[in-house]
């Protein structure tokens, strides 16, 4: 049996959407992964940032990012930051790609998340960013819902997101100690 | 029915501290391996990753990029494809063509701790043998109880 299982897939329809949300996430898996291929309606910019909400909350997040945009690299801190997507002035029909990986999402400790993201643009300005994130609310519980939105616009039509569950296990005689 | 290509091979959740974690008896069945570990260590470290019990530093090389409080940086060195910290840290490592016997082994590592750093490392083991064991060694520290380790194989 494959360790990766598609839990749900969604594609934004005509008119765009403020966010994509996955709800009622079962506690059946070990880790979660979200693959996002998206574009923002943010006017006057080639990119926009991605925001993550867990269990309906955008609070109690910390993150550290490393960012390159074609001519320089920088690092800094943020809150519920989860990547970059293409926006209105980026090359037409171009969508950014993001992987968000959340290990041990059902645990009762703070939840780490890891992001690899690119905004995509056929020009000298495009963004690649990696992010270390942490969600640490006062009461650490299993993640049962997550939502992805853009910081300065809506998700455009044809943006898509897929939620995967990854399940640990054993096979093939491999041992660990 | 589609063929499963991403197979869970082994996993461990620590019930006490551990100076290292070892995956052994890895068959040559798959194309790539993926290693995911998440947890904390007794102190912040640059961690080691050894293949087939080879602990010779000069047999490993890396180039990495790092974002931390001092800003963005890049460096090279031996043996240490990830950092691990006393607060929640996660590491994802993909080892390509691990069972091939005609090339050195390469891996891509991503490691994350929101309080300290985010990084990416390209790693090479200068050996053409198939990988049959992996040692995850946090160098001058230990992994804490509750830390989790999982190995997956990807079929070509």
């Amino acid at each position: 049996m494959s360790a990766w299982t598609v839990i749900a897939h969604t594609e934004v329809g005509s008119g765009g959407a403020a966010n994509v949300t996955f709800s009622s996430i079962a506690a059946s898996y070990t880790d979660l992964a979200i693959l996002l291929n998206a574009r923002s309606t943010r006017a006057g910019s080639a990119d926009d940032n991605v925001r993550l909400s867990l269990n309906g909350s955008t609070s109690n997040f910390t993150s550290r990012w490393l960012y390159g945009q074609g001519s320089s690299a920088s690092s800094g801190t943020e809150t519920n930051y989860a990547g970059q997507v293409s926006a209105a002035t980026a090359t037409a029909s171009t969508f950014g790609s993001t992987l968000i990986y959340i290990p041990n999402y059902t645990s009762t400790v703070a939840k780490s998340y890891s992001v690899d993201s690119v905004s995509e643009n056929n020009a000298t300005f495009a963004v690649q960013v990696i992010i270390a994130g942490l969600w640490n609310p006062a009461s650490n519980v299993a993640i049962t819902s997550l939502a992805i939105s853009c910081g300065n616009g809506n998700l455009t039509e044809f943006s898509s997101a897929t939620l995967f569950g990854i399940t640990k296990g054993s096979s093939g005689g491999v041992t660990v100690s | 029915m589609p063929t499963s290509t991403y197979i869970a091979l082994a996993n461990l959740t620590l019930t006490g501290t551990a100076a290292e974690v070892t995956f052994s008896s890895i068959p040559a069945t798959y194309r790539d391996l993926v290693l995911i570990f998440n947890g904390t260590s007794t102190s912040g470290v640059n961690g080691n990753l050894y293949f087939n019990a080879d602990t010779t530093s000069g047999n490993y090389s890396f180039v990495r990029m790092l974002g931390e409080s001092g800003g963005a940086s890049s460096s090279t060195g031996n043996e240490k494809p990830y950092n691990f910290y006393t607060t929640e840290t996660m590491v994802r490592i993909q080892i390509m063509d691990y069972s091939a016997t005609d090339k050195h082994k390469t891996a891509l590592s991503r490691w994350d701790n929101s309080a300290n750093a985010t990084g990416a490392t390209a790693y090479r083991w200068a050996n053409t043998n198939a990988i049959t064991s992996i040692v995850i060694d946090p160098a001058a520290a230990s992994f804490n109880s509750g830390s989790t380790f999982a190995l997956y194989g990807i079929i070509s």
Side-chain angles (χ1 to χ4, degrees):
Chain A
M1 188 177 79
S2 181
W4 278 61
T5 302
V6 175
I7 299 173
H9 173 80
T10 185
E11 184 165 311
V12 176
S14 175
N19 60 70
V20 292
T21 300
F22 297 100
S23 304
S24 302
I25 300 171
S28 312
Y29 312 97
T30 308
D31 304 338
L32 296 176
I34 302 97
L35 281 176
L36 176 71
N37 189 231
R39 187 179 177 102
S40 167
T41 60
R42 182 188 188 189
S45 179
D47 72 321
D48 196 359
N49 60 83
V50 176
R51 294 288 157 182
L52 179 65
S53 167
L54 295 175
N55 290 7
S57 174
T58 57
S59 301
N60 301 298
F61 282 85
T62 55
S63 58
R64 160 71 63 178
W65 49 266
L66 174 62
Y67 174 103
Q69 40 83 294
S71 60
S72 64
S74 58
S75 181
T77 57
E78 247 284 358
T79 55
N80 62 330
Y81 182 33
Q84 296 288 127
V85 294
S86 306
T89 65
T91 305
S93 303
T94 299
F95 290 68
S97 298
T98 296
L99 167 68
I100 304 168
Y101 197 99
I102 309 174
N104 298 314
Y105 74 102
T106 65
S107 73
T108 55
V109 298
K111 307 299 184 294
S112 298
Y113 68 92
S114 176
V115 178
D116 295 348
S117 181
V118 296
S119 68
E120 296 290 2
N121 187 24
N122 188 19
T124 55
F125 179 87
V127 174
Q128 182 176 15
V129 63
I130 60 174
I131 302 167
L134 187 76
W135 184 52
N136 190 18
S139 178
N140 281 297
V141 297
I143 294 170
T144 57
S145 69
L146 64 89
I148 295 168
S149 60
C150 296
N152 300 284
N154 287 340
L155 293 160
T156 67
E157 184 183 17
F158 308 126
S159 296
S160 68
T162 307
L163 176 66
F164 297 89
I166 297 95
T167 306
K168 65 184 180 183
S170 57
S171 66
V174 179
T175 60
V176 57
S177 58
Chain B
M1 183 172 174
T3 300
S4 300
T5 56
Y6 200 107
I7 309 299
L9 298 180
N11 67 91
L12 176 68
T13 300
L14 295 179
T15 56
T17 58
E20 62 185 36
V21 171
T22 302
F23 289 91
S24 304
S25 303
I26 301 171
T29 313
Y30 309 96
R31 171 64 66 185
D32 299 343
L33 297 173
V34 176
L35 182 58
I36 309 283
F37 49 106
N38 174 221
T40 64
S41 52
T42 53
S43 60
V45 293
N46 303 128
N48 298 322
L49 189 74
Y50 297 121
F51 301 125
N52 295 6
D54 181 3
T55 59
T56 302
S57 174
N59 291 340
Y60 299 90
S61 57
F62 72 78
V63 57
R64 71 176 191 178
M65 61 180 187
L66 171 66
E68 56 183 352
S69 60
S73 64
S74 182
S75 62
T76 59
N78 305 102
E79 285 179 294
K80 300 184 187 298
Y82 62 92
N83 287 7
F84 218 77
Y85 298 92
T86 59
T87 54
E88 289 296 321
T89 307
M90 69 163 293
V91 182
R92 292 179 284 137
I93 300 176
Q94 180 142 357
I95 306 165
M96 277 65 71
D97 282 342
Y98 79 96
S99 60
T101 56
D102 56 1
K103 61 182 69 172
H104 290 178
K105 304 305 176 290
T106 55
L108 294 175
S109 171
R110 280 277 292 109
W111 38 278
D112 294 295
N113 177 287
S114 69
N116 289 282
T118 180
T121 305
Y123 191 59
R124 181 174 66 93
W125 181 43
N127 193 303
T128 56
N129 288 336
I131 292 172
T132 58
S133 69
I134 300 171
V135 174
I136 309 164
D137 170 15
S142 295
F143 292 116
N144 282 320
S145 175
S147 296
T148 63
F149 303 81
L151 183 68
Y152 301 88
I154 301 176
I155 298 173
S156 62

